[in-house]
Amino acid sequence: MTPITEVAGRRVPLTNLEKVLYPATGFTKAELVHYYATTADALLPHLRDRAVSFLRYPDGPEGQVFFTKNVPPGTPEWVTTAEVPRSSAEGPARMVVVQDLPSLVWAANLVTEFHTHQWLVGSPDEADRLVFDLDPGAPATLVQCCEVALWLRERLAADGIEAYPKTAGSKGLHLLAAVSGASPERTSEYAKALAVAAERALPRLVVHRMTRSLRPGKVFVDWSQNAARKTTATPYTLRARRTPLVSAPVTWDEVADCRSPGRLEFRAEDIAPRLREHGDLMAPLLDRHRAAPLPEAI
């Protein structure tokens, strides 16, 4: 019989809680659900009012890993959903919007990474986030990503845009900023222009094109995730990696001081102490008054 737990007045079924999802550490599904439930105060504001793509790994990262974008079968009626535009050929999709703790626990039971767009469901034609995904090509590492992040931080600041870093939860780094008044297309153009500028300023370190043959030893500044259809790992989501790594917000001091990749590697058990010490380092992204317009010219 499937166990049922009550979460804020909602009955949420939880299955296979004893299953080991991360064999390298023995991390179980029960621990995954507990992580999301106890991190909800920080995570939920970054999910709220955003359509969610689930990257599911129900048998662990070494099993089948697949994206679920449409509302999954069996979704409770009390889970919020929204119609989301896609290409004209595909027509709109209906996707989950995780608005509250019961919905978060229900989604956690699916065993998932959370990925969100850079716009809210009520205004898909206006980006409220700017994102750069810094992806190192071996032998480059997170250390080189931090060097590039510091350059981008200064360049964005020159345009009045404040960036906030988080680990990708794998090998790279993400930079996020709150923006206003621009379409996803315009935001993508701006992000691409800055990626090109980074490559010109740091030619031995940066590449802005996706061509894999160009990337060994360099940091790929992926600007393309600003496109309306693209999604990025949400702050605090667990990742489907060998160990339960988290896409964790970090301070700029930590970025500047990074001398080895392990310095910015955080697992599920590291997040509660960090939240007690720092609070949500990405909370400023949620303050609409701090959102910056993109410059007219680049």
Side-chain angles (χ1 to χ4, degrees), residues 14 38 63 133 157 169 184 210 239 275:
L14 300 175
T38 55
D133 181 357
M210 295 184 185
R239 303 305 303 266
L275 286 170

Side-chain angles (χ1 to χ4, degrees), residues 25 29 66 133 135 157 164 185 221 293:
T25 62
K29 184 175 178 181
F66 56 95
D133 181 357
D135 185 12
Y164 298 88
E185 292 76 17
V221 178

Side-chain angles (χ1 to χ4, degrees), residues 42 236 248-254 264 266 270-284:
Y236 302 105
V250 293
T251 69
W252 278 113
D253 284 344
E254 288 176 312
L264 294 185
F266 302 103
D270 299 319
I271 301 305
R274 289 183 62 80
L275 286 170
R276 287 194 295 269
E277 180 180 0
H278 300 293
D280 177 14
L281 291 167
M282 293 208 153

Side-chain angles (χ1 to χ4, degrees), residues 141-222:
T141 68
L142 185 60
V143 174
Q144 285 70 44
C145 290
C146 289
E147 293 182 49
V148 177
L150 291 167
W151 187 93
L152 284 168
R153 180 195 190 192
E154 295 301 318
R155 179 62 182 80
L156 288 162
D159 286 338
I161 298 172
E162 189 168 4
Y164 298 88
K166 68 180 179 73
T167 66
S170 52
K171 58 182 179 177
L173 198 69
H174 295 164
L175 298 188
L176 279 72
V179 295
S180 63
S183 67
E185 292 76 17
R186 168 68 180 132
T187 306
S188 294
E189 291 171 1
Y190 174 75
K192 182 179 180 179
L194 262 61
V196 171
E199 183 175 324
R200 288 173 178 163
L202 306 168
R204 296 184 179 179
L205 193 59
V206 173
V207 61
H208 81 278
R209 286 177 286 175
M210 295 184 185
T211 308
R212 291 200 172 273
S213 62
L214 301 175
R215 291 163 62 176
K218 295 188 177 183
V219 175
F220 171 43
V221 178
D222 187 355

